[in-house]
Amino acid sequence: MMPHVLTRSLDRSATIFLIVVAACGVLIPLSNLLLPAGSMLQVPTYLVALFGKYACYAILALAVDLIWGYCGILSLGHGAFFALGGYAMGMYLMRQIGSRGVYGNPILPDFMVFLNYPRLPWYWHGFDMFAFAALMVIVVPGLLAFCFGWLAFRSRVTGVYLSIITQAMTYALMLGFFRNDFGFGGNNGLTDFKDILGFNVQADGTRAALFAFSCLAVALTFLICRAVVTSKLGKVLIAIRDAESRTRFLGYRVESYKLFVFTLSACMAGVAGALYVPQVGIINPGEFSPGNSIEAVIWVAVGGRGTLVGAALGAIVVNYAKTYFTSGPLAPYWLFMLGALFILVTLLLPRGIVGTFNWWWEPWKTKRLSPGAESAAREDGVSEPDMAE
């Protein structure tokens, strides 16, 4: 039943997107591992890690587009769920270091030994098992989103007020995680990872496998989002986005729909953060920065709000620009350029890249297909009668 629901939601653009993602997930790792270094077609390891980051950002963009593009919930705090998933994976990676740390303690991570922790905090127990850590990657962001959403949506907090309190939430978490006594490494965060599932996290093969798995996660996230937005649930979400009060008067429990999609989106963001951490090798409180959440919204706006494919494309385009411009003389001006990009897109391309393309394409497509449809209708004898007759 579930495969049928997922495949039924695909159209031509969605199919092309999945084919491209699958091709990247297969060809890039093979190019990195099988072709000799220096070959024109060989993808260097640093690019594999960079593309892996882009894939994680694409998952986060899909999560934001699901709630903003289709339900009208503008969250400026989704970076918090991304970071919580990253910390859950970072805790597992720290437990895998064992006695290979600087201080050689088989139980306590190095920063706990340095800060004179007498024992491992209770909330670190279980993170030596990958299955438990993977569960927490989903449960922790999802539980926070559920509690936050239950309070906010039942109080009918919407619009700019909801955006402000989501931003306040991630800022409060950032301040908490900066504290050394919080038990998560303070300002330095978690780093110096060694292994993941018994494999060296720095090895080329491991990085290639992480990239391939990130591409798989992008495809699965996209399929889940498509299944949601093309179902009856998706129609209700769009109705809530366009006319929340009218949808409520029709008898729908708007709060329940918003709470469900907000929690689902947070779980997706947590998965993105978990895949991000082993590829970049660090997670620190800076990931909670409200600016990161705002950037995710800009990705969706640039690519095309309410298109899914555009959200993923926007994440890749903006982050490629960030990589390019922050490595040269324009680095100090990147934030100004990002702000200018958002303003230009809002004024000149309010539908985003993919949304504008669809807006141009659909009338032409309809005009091209209409003669054929009319001819087929006449052959079937169902065409409208000529008024002259």
Side-chain angles (χ1 to χ4, degrees), residues 203-384:
D204 291 352
T206 305
R207 289 188 178 277
L210 286 170
F211 171 77
F213 196 78
S214 298
C215 290
L216 176 62
V218 172
L220 290 177
T221 303
F222 178 80
L223 284 172
I224 293 172
C225 291
R226 285 285 303 181
V228 169
V229 303
T230 57
S231 65
K232 293 180 180 179
L233 169 61
K235 291 180 173 61
V236 176
L237 296 179
I238 294 173
I240 293 172
R241 179 196 67 189
D242 296 338
E244 181 174 335
S245 297
R246 185 176 299 178
T247 307
R248 181 177 286 109
F249 292 153
L250 289 174
Y252 290 96
R253 293 182 61 88
V254 170
E255 295 79 11
S256 299
Y257 285 94
K258 294 172 75 172
L259 180 60
F260 168 77
V261 74
F262 189 72
T263 304
L264 176 62
S265 175
C267 293
M268 293 176 179
V271 172
L275 291 170
Y276 173 84
V277 168
Q279 297 184 84
V280 300
I282 189 172
I283 178 71
N284 59 41
E287 296 297 335
F288 286 100
S289 172
N292 292 350
S293 299
I294 296 173
E295 277 194 34
V297 172
I298 294 176
W299 305 340
V300 177
V302 170
R305 175 188 172 194
T307 61
L308 292 181
V309 174
L313 178 63
I316 295 171
V317 169
V318 175
N319 280 285
Y320 174 78
K322 183 178 181 179
T323 301
Y324 181 80
F325 288 112
T326 56
S327 59
L330 296 177
Y333 309 104
W334 163 246
L335 291 179
F336 297 101
M337 297 171 62
L338 184 64
L341 175 65
F342 183 64
I343 294 172
L344 290 174
V345 167
T346 303
L347 294 178
L348 303 179
L349 295 175
R351 295 177 176 85
I353 298 173
V354 173
T356 302
F357 174 80
N358 291 337
W359 184 62
W360 289 341
W361 169 259
E362 288 301 327
W364 182 84
K365 179 182 177 182
T366 303
K367 184 178 179 180
R368 187 189 66 170
L369 294 179
S370 57
E374 181 179 352
S375 176
R378 289 184 181 277
E379 291 178 2
D380 294 339
V382 296
S383 60
E384 294 185 1

Side-chain angles (χ1 to χ4, degrees), residues 67-81:
I67 59 169
W68 184 37
Y70 291 92
C71 196
I73 303 172
L74 178 55
S75 170
L76 298 181
H78 251 54
F81 307 126

Side-chain angles (χ1 to χ4, degrees), residues 17-246:
F17 174 79
L18 290 174
I19 291 173
V20 171
V21 171
C24 291
V26 173
L27 296 179
I28 291 178
L30 291 179
S31 171
N32 173 255
L33 297 175
L34 300 182
L35 296 180
S39 172
M40 185 173 62
L41 298 178
Q42 200 256 358
V43 179
T45 301
Y46 80 91
L47 281 181
V48 174
L50 183 63
F51 295 156
K53 284 176 55 179
Y54 293 167
C56 297
Y57 290 147
I59 298 173
L60 178 58
L62 289 169
V64 173
D65 193 29
L66 179 63
I67 59 169
W68 184 37
Y70 291 92
C71 196
I73 303 172
L74 178 55
S75 170
L76 298 181
H78 251 54
F81 307 126
F82 180 87
L84 287 174
Y87 265 97
M89 179 56 65
M91 293 165 72
Y92 163 77
L93 295 172
M94 292 296 290
R95 293 297 309 273
Q96 299 307 298
I97 296 175
S99 58
R100 291 173 294 173
V102 175
Y103 296 100
N105 192 302
I107 303 297
L108 297 180
D110 285 338
F111 74 89
M112 291 188 182
V113 178
F114 178 77
L115 295 174
N116 297 317
Y117 273 67
R119 64 184 66 85
L120 193 71
W122 63 268
Y123 46 85
W124 275 75
H125 289 286
F127 280 94
D128 54 333
M129 298 178 291
F130 180 81
F132 180 82
L135 181 64
M136 291 299 104
V137 163
I138 299 174
V139 169
V140 174
L143 183 60
L144 175 62
F146 181 85
C147 295
F148 177 88
W150 190 84
L151 294 172
F153 299 141
R154 281 177 60 90
S155 302
R156 299 191 180 180
V157 180
T158 58
V160 66
Y161 303 104
L162 181 65
S163 301
I164 291 172
I165 61 175
T166 54
Q167 194 172 52
M169 174 191 68
T170 188
Y171 189 71
L173 285 170
M174 182 181 71
L175 294 179
F177 275 76
F178 265 119
R179 295 174 58 90
N180 286 328
D181 57 358
F182 216 55
F184 296 101
N187 181 56
N188 296 320
L190 309 177
T191 187
D192 194 30
F193 308 134
K194 307 294 185 184
D195 299 330
I196 180 170
L197 291 174
F199 297 97
N200 183 358
V201 76
Q202 301 293 334
D204 291 352
T206 305
R207 289 188 178 277
L210 286 170
F211 171 77
F213 196 78
S214 298
C215 290
L216 176 62
V218 172
L220 290 177
T221 303
F222 178 80
L223 284 172
I224 293 172
C225 291
R226 285 285 303 181
V228 169
V229 303
T230 57
S231 65
K232 293 180 180 179
L233 169 61
K235 291 180 173 61
V236 176
L237 296 179
I238 294 173
I240 293 172
R241 179 196 67 189
D242 296 338
E244 181 174 335
S245 297
R246 185 176 299 178

